[in-house]
Amino acid sequence: MKKNIIYILIAVLGLQSCVDLDQVPYSSLTPENFFTNEADARSAVISVYSTFTNTDIFNQFSETIHSQGTDDSEWGYGRATNNADKNDFDKFVYTTESNLVYRVWKGYYEGINRCNYAIENIEAMPEDKISPVVQKQLIAEAKFIRAYFYFAMVRYWGEVPLITRQTLTLDGLEVPKDPEDKIYAFVIDDLEYACEYLPLKSDYAASEAGRATKGAALAQLAKVYLTLEEWQKVIDLTTEVMGLGYALYENYADNFDIEKENGIESLFEIQYLAGDGNAGSVYNGYFRPPFVTINGWAGYGDNPVTKNLYDAYGTTGDLRRDVNIRLYTREEYPNMDQNIEYPYYCNKYIDLDPIATRSSSGNNHVVLRYADVLLMRAEALGRMNPASPEAYTYLNQVRRRAYGVPMDQPAACDVTPVNSVEEFVEIIIKERRLEFAFEAHRRFDLLRTKKLKEAMMAQNPEIGAVISEKHYYFPVPQTELDANRLLEQHPLWK
């Protein structure tokens, strides 16, 4: 059975914010009377997974940050929104007062507190209440997710408070930021634990699809080291993942087919279920254009795709373009606003089930897939030697799939080796853009390679001109600064 693990929630509220505490987490299910057996411990961890259904972390605002805040998506050219959050990120005018900056901060710390609650209390359970094997696995799941949250935060904000214990009272809430290297060390430690104690994907029953696995932990740890530019560690970790039985789908589009979710290419994906009352994805409704009505409702047309991204696929047969983007025509949709110059919209997340709604469709969000492992490995090899034959083996394997040709044979679409690291980085970052469009990778790739301003200047010089060094970080929300006297604003935002 699909997706059922994220819907069993326990009555444990996460911390609303790191320090902006509206209420103390409350529950009649205290640690003393709740963590009495393995079922209780499992429920606590399932509550941790439920954080991923927060639309400020994934779903709508995730793509506001990762696509609209890049060259992949832009309001304009006859397409507009009145949503201040989306306009702030689209035009790079967000500030310390921006609502979305605060909501993302709050959402991640809520998830972190749930992780801390689960880890701390499961660690305290004696052997007569939980077997050591199950205990370590559940802790590993929570640590995998906690590491994911902190890895995102350190890339968004740089220094942030490192909260490692559950918050149950109002005491001790004023805390300073911690250095980036300390946060990265903590993330690595959590992921190393997860790598050791998480089961393989094949060890789970089909009904438990979506739970963290050893392969996911190894790949996420490789991504951390990719960000830190520790290339040999990326190679070592991807070697381990490649021995676990993952593979590319022959058809790129299968990664986004609802009937093929959690498949052979998937390492970790957020589970969503269509229908009112369910924890569903909003992508199907928000990405569908407002002039397209299916099953009685039209979409919002959010994250409108740039001509820049559409053109990046070229005209030589890259099949990913039409999976990821649709160019609509007025002949087909005469009700389209006449002011729209470039009617490009995301085509990746489609749920035609009649029970799907604008805010609750069944499209999973793929966080990690095997193509990412191959491209991370290719990048690490190419960074060490831009003419490395092995680097092009993995890069071209992904490209051949994109062009619908055999992945194990040379093809016209293959990339020719280059001699400089700079040229290779341009190639690999472009390939990642084409492969992972609207999968929440683009902004992080531009941040770690310091190419955000360059990319935006190429897309829209007017917006690109706004970007300065400070835009490689988010400002600390003013609400948090007001509540926590020990918290300091990022130096570039002072």
Side-chain angles (χ1 to χ4, degrees):
M1 298 293 292
K2 173 187 171 185
K3 311 182 183 212
N4 62 347
I5 68 164
I6 64 173
Y7 307 115
I8 309 169
L9 304 182
I10 62 171
V12 179
L13 299 179
L15 181 61
Q16 290 300 307
S17 166
C18 173
V19 293
D20 179 28
L21 190 64
D22 298 320
Q23 59 182 346
V24 177
Y26 170 80
S27 175
S28 60
L29 300 175
T30 65
E32 292 76 17
N33 65 27
F34 179 68
F35 288 91
T36 61
N37 53 50
E38 290 184 3
D40 291 347
R42 291 179 189 277
S43 293
V45 172
I46 289 170
S47 180
V48 170
Y49 281 99
S50 73
T51 308
F52 283 121
T53 65
N54 182 331
T55 57
D56 297 339
I57 294 178
F58 275 103
N59 269 318
Q60 179 184 181
F61 286 137
S62 172
E63 283 305 310
T64 296
I65 293 169
H66 290 281
S67 294
Q68 280 185 223
T70 74
D71 49 350
D72 283 356
S73 177
E74 182 185 342
W75 292 103
Y77 310 100
R79 305 171 301 189
T81 179
N82 293 321
N83 186 302
D85 289 319
K86 296 173 184 179
N87 275 318
D88 281 357
F89 276 85
D90 192 61
K91 309 304 180 191
F92 287 85
V93 295
Y94 50 84
T95 70
T96 186
E97 301 279 1
S98 292
N99 176 54
L100 182 52
V101 174
Y102 169 67
R103 287 175 63 173
V104 173
W105 174 286
K106 184 177 94 169
Y108 275 113
Y109 273 116
E110 177 184 317
I112 287 165
N113 196 56
R114 290 192 183 197
C115 293
N116 291 341
Y117 177 88
I119 292 166
E120 193 169 338
N121 286 290
I122 295 172
E123 284 178 336
M125 294 177 71
E127 287 189 22
D128 63 336
K129 299 196 181 293
I130 188 170
S131 78
V133 172
V134 172
Q135 184 180 45
K136 288 182 172 65
Q137 177 188 324
L138 294 176
I139 292 170
E141 289 182 71
K143 286 192 172 187
F144 170 83
I145 296 172
R146 183 171 67 178
Y148 181 90
F149 292 155
Y150 271 124
F151 183 38
M153 292 196 77
V154 74
R155 288 180 290 171
Y156 286 145
W157 280 280
E159 296 182 349
V160 295
L162 184 60
I163 311 298
T164 63
R165 306 288 291 181
Q166 60 179 324
T167 302
L168 295 173
T169 74
L170 292 172
D171 296 329
L173 291 181
E174 291 189 342
V175 291
K177 296 189 294 185
D178 287 280
E180 289 186 43
D181 58 356
K182 183 177 179 180
I183 298 165
Y184 273 110
F186 185 79
V187 167
I188 290 168
D189 186 65
D190 266 3
L191 287 174
E192 286 179 342
Y193 186 98
C195 289
E196 182 172 358
Y197 293 111
L198 283 176
L200 299 173
K201 183 177 180 180
S202 58
D203 291 335
Y204 283 116
S207 60
E208 296 182 302
R211 298 185 75 151
T213 66
K214 181 181 181 70
L218 288 167
Q220 185 70 353
L221 186 54
K223 189 170 288 291
V224 172
Y225 282 123
L226 188 78
T227 303
L228 295 175
E229 299 188 351
E230 296 195 35
W231 312 125
Q232 187 58 53
K233 290 182 179 179
V234 175
I235 294 168
D236 294 342
L237 287 161
T238 54
T239 297
E240 289 192 63
V241 179
M242 292 169 67
L244 297 181
Y246 296 97
L248 296 180
Y249 274 121
E250 289 188 12
N251 180 8
Y252 174 77
D254 286 349
N255 284 293
F256 317 104
D257 185 334
I258 291 178
E259 300 303 318
K260 298 178 181 178
E261 291 172 337
N262 305 301
I264 193 169
E265 190 167 339
S266 171
L267 280 85
F268 187 69
E269 53 191 84
I270 310 305
Q271 310 293 300
Y272 293 114
L273 188 64
D276 287 329
N278 292 324
S281 170
V282 304
Y283 286 164
N284 180 50
Y286 277 77
F287 286 169
R288 183 187 299 178
F291 49 80
V292 177
T293 298
I294 302 173
N295 291 328
W297 55 270
Y300 294 117
D302 276 34
N303 303 96
V305 182
T306 61
K307 186 176 185 295
N308 179 298
L309 175 57
Y310 186 86
D311 291 346
Y313 287 95
T315 58
T316 57
D318 190 331
L319 302 175
R320 294 173 299 192
R321 186 193 68 182
D322 293 342
V323 173
N324 296 336
I325 307 168
R326 179 169 174 181
L327 171 57
Y328 290 84
T329 67
R330 287 191 171 81
E331 289 74 22
E332 188 177 5
Y333 293 96
N335 59 324
M336 183 192 305
D337 191 312
Q338 292 299 311
N339 293 320
I340 296 177
E341 296 180 52
Y342 306 123
Y344 303 102
Y345 291 88
C346 179
N347 194 48
K348 201 163 203 170
Y349 304 99
I350 297 173
D351 186 355
L352 299 179
D353 191 321
I355 70 169
T357 68
R358 288 186 186 90
S359 57
S360 189
S361 64
N363 309 99
N364 282 0
H365 182 98
V366 182
V367 176
L368 289 165
R369 54 187 175 89
Y370 191 60
D372 199 359
V373 173
L374 296 180
L375 290 181
M376 285 194 291
R377 184 178 182 84
E379 181 173 347
L381 289 162
R383 294 274 197 158
M384 296 172 71
N385 174 13
S388 165
E390 189 180 359
Y392 294 92
T393 294
Y394 301 113
L395 170 58
N396 287 327
Q397 186 178 347
V398 173
R399 284 186 59 78
R400 291 167 192 162
R401 193 263 296 271
Y403 281 80
V405 298
M407 289 182 278
D408 60 350
Q409 299 176 24
C413 63
D414 286 357
V415 172
T416 303
V418 296
N419 294 318
S420 74
V421 172
E422 291 75 16
E423 288 178 286
F424 184 83
V425 171
E426 290 290 335
I427 291 168
I428 200 75
I429 295 304
K430 179 180 179 181
E431 196 64 34
R432 291 185 61 83
R433 183 189 190 192
L434 305 181
E435 178 71 19
F436 303 118
F438 307 103
E439 294 180 49
H441 291 273
R442 180 62 172 169
R443 185 181 181 92
F444 285 144
D445 283 338
L446 292 176
L447 293 180
R448 67 181 176 85
T449 57
K450 301 298 182 184
K451 292 181 178 293
L452 179 62
K453 185 177 181 69
E454 175 188 326
M456 290 309 304
M457 288 297 294
Q459 155 55 25
N460 186 329
E462 184 176 340
I463 295 177
V466 173
I467 298 173
S468 64
E469 187 180 355
K470 73 178 183 180
H471 290 101
Y472 285 82
Y473 297 92
F474 291 164
V476 176
Q478 189 62 47
T479 302
E480 297 295 322
L481 295 170
D482 293 340
N484 180 358
R485 292 174 297 176
L486 299 181
L487 193 61
E488 295 183 8
Q489 183 57 270
H490 192 286
L492 294 173
W493 283 92
K494 289 183 178 179

